[in-house]
């Protein structure tokens, strides 16, 4: 049994679909496209229904991740407690190992952390941290971590510094497509 004061929940969210147009646009400056904005709304509604609300957010500084966060944040207007948000250059195209180091440095007063970033690091991170979980969700996660994918992983630890590979339990894995098919 996980005691709430000793539990940590990690939300790993990949940015929504971005626009590849514009020959002069750098990778970091790509905005969301229409499909990305719609997917963000779907994920925000899903997270709200499930009570998946972080108390801290670590977000890559790429335009597409910032716009994904903005879409979620706008959908959560009216929440009494707003999460602490840190925009981090370090998360732009971060590897799974680099992202884990950032997570391990999270202030322990936060019990629910959302990290918002990019593949391939985010898919590797979600799969690498999920040592257990519902078999169907683990299988789906191992196949693909598409744009706007969300992995919810619980850890029976008292500190973020204790989060290690394969130590988490995958509680949920969703994509807008999976949500719409339910």
């Amino acid at each position: 049994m996980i005691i709430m004061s000793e539990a940590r929940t990690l939300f790993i969210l990949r940015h929504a679909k971005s626009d590849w147009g514009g020959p002069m646009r750098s990778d970091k400056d790509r905005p969301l496209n229409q499909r990305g904005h719609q997917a963000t709304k779907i994920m925000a509604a899903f997270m709200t229904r499930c009570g998946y609300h972080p108390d801290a957010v670590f977000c890559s500084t790429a335009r597409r991740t910032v716009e994904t966060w903005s879409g979620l944040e706008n959908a959560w207007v009216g929440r009494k407690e707003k999460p602490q948000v840190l925009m981090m250059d370090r998360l732009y195209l971060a590897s799974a190992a680099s992202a884990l180091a950032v997570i391990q440095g999270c202030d322990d007063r936060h019990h629910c952390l959302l990290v918002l970033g990019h593949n391939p690091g985010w898919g590797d991170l979600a799969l690498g941290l999920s040592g257990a979980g519902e078999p169907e969700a683990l299988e789906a996660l191992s196949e693909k971590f598409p744009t706007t994918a969300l992995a919810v992983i619980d850890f029976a630890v008292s500190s973020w510094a204790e989060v290690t590979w394969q130590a988490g339990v995958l509680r949920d894995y969703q994509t807008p497509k999976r949500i719409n098919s339910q």
Side-chain angles (χ1 to χ4, degrees):
M1 181 167 118
I2 296 175
I3 300 169
M4 288 309 286
S5 65
E6 295 183 10
R8 300 285 183 260
T9 298
L10 179 64
F11 303 107
I12 300 172
L13 181 66
R14 184 175 171 201
H15 65 80
K17 189 78 172 161
S18 61
D19 185 3
W20 285 91
M24 301 301 282
R25 188 175 291 146
S26 73
D27 179 70
K28 196 170 183 179
D29 292 330
R30 289 189 291 122
L32 295 185
N33 65 17
Q34 188 58 38
R35 186 172 133 201
H37 286 290
Q38 185 59 34
T40 300
K41 289 177 186 175
I42 291 166
M43 189 56 69
F46 172 79
M47 291 178 75
T48 298
R49 277 194 314 273
C50 293
Y52 293 163
H53 295 293
D55 48 21
V57 176
F58 292 171
C59 183
S60 161
T61 55
R63 183 173 175 185
R64 59 193 178 273
T65 53
V66 172
E67 287 184 4
T68 300
W69 168 245
S70 181
L72 292 174
E73 185 178 43
N74 289 339
W76 295 336
V77 169
R79 276 187 62 205
K80 291 178 185 175
E81 295 179 28
K82 294 190 184 270
Q84 177 184 2
V85 180
L86 294 173
M87 298 294 168
M88 305 175 94
D89 280 329
R90 190 173 165 193
L91 293 179
Y92 175 64
L93 302 179
S95 68
S98 294
L100 177 57
V102 170
I103 291 162
Q104 290 170 329
C106 183
D107 187 324
D108 287 331
R109 70 182 168 173
H110 301 297
H111 290 266
C112 297
L113 171 64
L114 169 71
V115 291
L116 208 159
H118 314 266
N119 254 0
W122 260 228
D124 294 344
L125 179 68
L127 194 56
L129 291 175
S130 299
E134 200 277 316
E136 182 184 322
L138 285 166
E139 182 178 341
L141 173 61
S142 70
E143 290 173 8
K144 190 174 184 182
F145 202 74
T147 53
T148 329
L150 172 72
V152 181
I153 305 171
D154 293 322
F155 297 91
V157 296
S158 59
S159 172
W160 287 106
E162 298 173 51
V163 171
T164 59
W165 299 118
Q166 298 295 301
V169 176
L170 181 66
R171 182 191 328 170
D172 204 351
Y173 169 70
Q174 294 295 332
T175 65
K177 186 176 184 178
R178 285 172 59 103
I179 293 166
N180 284 337
S181 69
Q182 294 173 354

